[in-house]
């Protein structure tokens, strides 16, 4: 089962730095993420989701490949690729995996304008290695699906990592 963790940042740039650091940690197999999305509350009140994956492009690519193969059967691979790509893009744009978009938008409305939050759906975590890497980037834990005890341990570990940072 995955754990939801949402961390608020003072600005979009800080949230993007945190996302980049987590992507690096995922490549190093320190953490395993099912989803990672930045929610930005823009100055004029608009809520913008910055998805880590472009499902529309992935759907178009997959659809074009399948369409090309099916098109070969009917001796018109280019038409098959075009139709498959369009269908794949439509399906990809309507697909929602990971954290529910409406939930993130709703929580994003409670952020101050100009701030952002990073939503994580964590499959596997290693707090002993992740927290010291993430603590220097700041942020405030705003929501988790962890048990009360695990959340309190996480908050204490973050606080301890921040106080032991070299100046």
């Amino acid at each position: 089962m995955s754990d939801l963790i949402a961390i608020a940042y003072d600005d979009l740039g800080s949230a993007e730095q945190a996302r980049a650091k987590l992507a690096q940690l995922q490549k190093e197999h320190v953490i395993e993420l099912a989803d990672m999305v930045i929610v930005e509350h823009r100055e004029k009140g608009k809520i913008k989701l910055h998805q880590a994956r472009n499902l529309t492009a992935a759907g178009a690519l997959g659809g074009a490949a399948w369409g090309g193969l099916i098109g070969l059967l009917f001796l018109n691979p280019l038409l098959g690729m075009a139709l498959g790509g369009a269908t794949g893009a439509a399906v990809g744009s309507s697909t929602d995996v990971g954290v529910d978009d409406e939930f993130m938008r709703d929580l994003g409305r409670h952020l101050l304008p100009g701030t952002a939050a990073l939503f994580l759906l964590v499959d596997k975590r290693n707090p002993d290695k992740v927290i010291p890497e993430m603590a220097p980037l700041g942020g405030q834990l705003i929501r988790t699906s962890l048990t009360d005890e695990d959340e309190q341990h996480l908050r204490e570990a973050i606080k301890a990592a921040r106080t032991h940072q070299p100046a």
Side-chain angles (χ1 to χ4, degrees):
M1 183 171 164
S2 299
D3 292 316
L4 172 71
I5 298 173
I7 307 162
Y9 291 93
D10 292 336
D11 55 50
L12 179 60
S14 297
E16 287 174 336
Q17 280 184 314
R19 179 169 66 180
K21 185 63 166 174
L22 284 164
Q24 175 190 341
L25 292 172
Q26 183 165 352
K27 286 179 186 173
E28 295 170 4
H29 303 285
V30 174
I31 190 169
E32 191 174 309
L33 301 169
D35 199 9
M36 183 168 42
V37 180
I38 294 175
V39 177
E40 175 188 11
H41 189 151
R42 294 189 168 169
E43 292 294 340
K44 295 184 179 182
K46 183 178 180 192
I47 305 300
K48 170 95 171 121
L49 302 183
H50 300 269
Q51 302 280 352
R53 297 183 208 126
N54 186 342
L55 296 175
T56 302
L61 185 61
W66 280 107
L69 288 173
I70 293 170
L72 282 173
L73 295 173
F74 297 104
L75 302 175
N76 198 343
L78 292 178
L79 179 63
M81 287 176 68
L83 290 174
T87 303
V91 169
S93 68
S94 66
T95 301
D96 184 20
V97 296
V99 183
D100 181 64
D101 288 355
E102 216 32 60
F103 170 75
M104 289 187 289
R105 280 191 182 90
D106 184 49
L107 198 56
R109 288 182 190 95
H110 297 287
L111 296 171
L112 294 174
T115 63
L118 180 60
F119 284 76
L120 307 169
L121 199 56
V122 183
D123 284 340
K124 291 182 183 175
R125 56 189 156 84
N126 187 343
D128 296 339
K129 293 185 179 181
V130 175
I131 292 171
E133 294 284 336
M134 298 303 295
L137 302 175
Q140 178 183 352
L141 199 60
I142 56 173
R143 179 76 56 98
T144 75
S145 64
L146 301 171
T147 65
D148 290 342
E149 184 179 329
D150 286 346
E151 183 173 333
Q152 187 58 35
H153 286 305
L154 179 59
R155 288 182 189 279
E156 289 169 3
I158 292 170
K159 185 177 178 182
R162 286 192 182 141
T163 58
H164 291 95
Q165 288 179 34

